């Protein structure tokens, strides 16, 4: 039989010629399975000579499961299918299709065939189709890369936020609980570490004014997004938005470059200065969300902002300086200064709607500066200021001028051992004034400014006042002081402002006063007599007023003073 199959028969030569034709035309020959006829329950192969492919002279065919044989006259090639059950075609999955498309991109890696491939010229439609397939594959790969990047970004945020949530700082439920912490507040380090990611992926994807801030008004929001949205609320409630535009607000998301805002090296906002006309009509109560803020200054136009004082403003544990000047804020003033554990300077000026007494929780602070002027506050000066153990060791400047305080100056103020500035002018304070002698001993090494003008104090100016050798300003104007001007005051080498006008002082002007380099000398509207010292007329002042006295004879040449 081997000779009949592989010998020099007509069938064999015909098969070899067919194989050569087959290779030259690069056609793949598919071996068809024989038709089968069902007999009973078994499948019996049916032999046919139609469409039988030519026999290749390839010894590998002998190892195949489906083999070729010839009939007795060697004229017919019969194929036997030994598979009892033909394998069904398997449907490709979604990922298999994607892999197939991706694999087509590597068109430079040609499949190595043993057969010689002769290039075939493609038509325009075939070229377009192939180009489209490549483009689609590129788009699929690009989409997969984007999805992987987004998933990686989300995973990174989840890990970072999980670390924050597991930290002790995340255990507090809200800002109010946070500032009650005995450690005195916090700087949200975990949230700050996410700033660059948040700004670039969230804020950076949309114009600043179009960014939706509705979601960020909870205490657990990322800090920089909360800061951005709070500043946006200031802009939205602005008295004049064009004035904010002029100073560079919302040109971009880098609020550290906006005028009136100062940030530290970590881009945390530490100062916010709002000055008329760059102020909001209403200041959001969420101002307390600026947990890293150290200085807040609002200088309004007497009527703005005109809402109730934000309660959260008085719970900011990192705030060191709070300045409210000429605003329209209404009360009450929250009595929560004990939560402001870092506060060093509290300055309230000309907030005419805030007429409530000074909150006593100020006694728990360690203020360096307490300015409470033009607030229309009435009643006696509170004792808790001088009786506070913390203020006794810290307070250097106390200014309660331009109010409606009544009564005497409390002795408790003498406990403020570091006092440098004492301003009690323009009030309704009364009484004899041995207080000046007490001041001389208590503040001999610290006091630099004594201003108690426009009250109804009586008594004499004690010579011991000169013991306060650091005095630069003495303002006792418009009281009822009597007696003479102490010559000892001329020993105060730093004294530049001496205002004693509007009293009942008598006697001569001490000659030695002319030796001081006064900037301002105001002795008018008294009962002074005698000549004007030549040393005074030879001096230079920015302001000198000696009129409305009984000085005689007047010098013919003393152009430096008003006579």
């Amino acid at each position: 039989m081997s000779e009949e199959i592989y010998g020099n028969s007509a069938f064999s030569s015909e098969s070899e010629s067919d194989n050569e034709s087959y290779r030259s035309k690069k056609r793949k020959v598919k071996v068809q399975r024989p038709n089968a006829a069902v007999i009973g329950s078994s499948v019996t192969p049916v032999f046919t000579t139609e469409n039988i492919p030519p026999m290749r002279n390839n010894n590998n065919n002998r190892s195949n499961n489906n083999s070729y044989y010839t009939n007795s006259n060697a004229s017919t090639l019969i194929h036997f299918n030994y598979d009892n059950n033909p394998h069904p075609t398997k449907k490709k999955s979604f990922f298999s299709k994607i892999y197939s498309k991706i694999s087509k991109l590597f068109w430079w890696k040609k499949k190595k065939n043993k057969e010689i491939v002769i290039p075939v010229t493609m038509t325009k439609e075939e070229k377009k189709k192939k180009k489209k397939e490549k483009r689609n594959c590129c788009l699929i790969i690009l989409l997969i890369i984007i999805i992987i990047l987004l998933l990686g970004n989300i995973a990174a945020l989840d890990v970072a936020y999980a670390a924050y949530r597991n930290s002790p700082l995340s255990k507090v439920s809200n800002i109010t609980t946070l500032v009650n912490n005995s450690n005195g507040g916090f700087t949200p380090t975990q949230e700050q570490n996410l700033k660059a990611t948040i700004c670039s992926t969230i804020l950076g994807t949309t114009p600043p004014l179009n960014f939706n801030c509705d979601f960020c008004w909870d205490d657990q929001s990322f800090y920089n997004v909360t800061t951005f949205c709070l500043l946006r609320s200031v802009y939205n409630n602005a008295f004049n938005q064009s004035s904010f535009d002029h100073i560079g607000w919302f040109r971009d998301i880098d609020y550290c470059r906006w005028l009136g805002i100062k940030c530290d090296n970590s881009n945390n906002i530490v100062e916010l200065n709002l000055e008329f006309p760059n102020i909001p009509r209403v200041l959001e109560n969420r101002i307390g969300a600026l947990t890293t803020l150290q200085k807040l200054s609002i200088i309004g136009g007497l009527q703005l902002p005109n809402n109730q004082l934000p309660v959260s403003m008085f719970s900011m544990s990192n705030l060191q300086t709070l300045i409210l000047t000429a605003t329209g804020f209404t009360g009450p003033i929250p009595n929560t200064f004990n939560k402001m554990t870092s506060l060093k300077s509290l300055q309230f000026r000309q907030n005419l709607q805030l007429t409530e007494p000074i909150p006593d929780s100020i006694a728990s602070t360690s203020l360096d500066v307490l300015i409470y002027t033009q607030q229309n506050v009435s009643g006696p000066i509170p004792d808790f200021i001088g009786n506070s153990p913390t203020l006794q060791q810290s307070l250097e400047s106390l200014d309660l001028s331009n109010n409606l305080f009544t009564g005497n100056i409390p002795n408790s103020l003498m406990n403020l051992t570091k006092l440098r500035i004492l301003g009690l002018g323009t009030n309704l304070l009364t009484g004899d004034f041995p207080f000046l002698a007490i001041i001389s001993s208590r503040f001999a090494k610290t006091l630099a400014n004594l201003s108690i003008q426009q009250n109804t104090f009586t008594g004499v100016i004690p010579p011991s006042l000169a013991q306060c050798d650091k005095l630069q300003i003495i303002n006792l104007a418009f009281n009822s002081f009597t007696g003479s001007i102490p010559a000892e005051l001329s020993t105060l080498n730093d004294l530049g402002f001496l205002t004693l006008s509007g009293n009942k002082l008598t006697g001569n002007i001490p000659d030695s006063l002319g030796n001081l380099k006064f900037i301002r000398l105001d002795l008018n509207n008294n009962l002074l007599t005698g000549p004007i010292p030549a040393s005074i007329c030879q001096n230079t002042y920015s302001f000198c007023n000696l009129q409305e006295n009984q000085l005689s004879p007047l010098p013919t040449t003393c152009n430096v003073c008003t006579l």
Side-chain angles (χ1 to χ4, degrees), residues 221-258:
S221 294
F222 293 116
Y223 175 74
N224 69 309
V225 178
T226 303
T227 301
F228 179 87
C229 293
L230 176 64
L231 297 176
R232 235 276 292 279
S233 73
V234 172
Y235 180 87
N236 290 339
N237 292 311
F239 168 72
N240 186 352
Q241 287 188 350
S242 61
S243 64
F244 277 98
D245 295 335
H246 182 69
I247 61 176
W249 278 48
F250 286 95
R251 290 178 182 173
D252 50 36
I253 63 173
D254 187 5
Y255 48 74
C256 291
R257 297 191 299 174
W258 302 350

Side-chain angles (χ1 to χ4, degrees), residues 379-397:
I381 295 175
D383 276 320
F384 63 76
I385 296 176
N387 290 331
S388 166
T390 54
L391 293 178
Q392 289 174 7
Q393 302 300 318
S394 65
L395 194 61
E396 297 181 1
S397 177

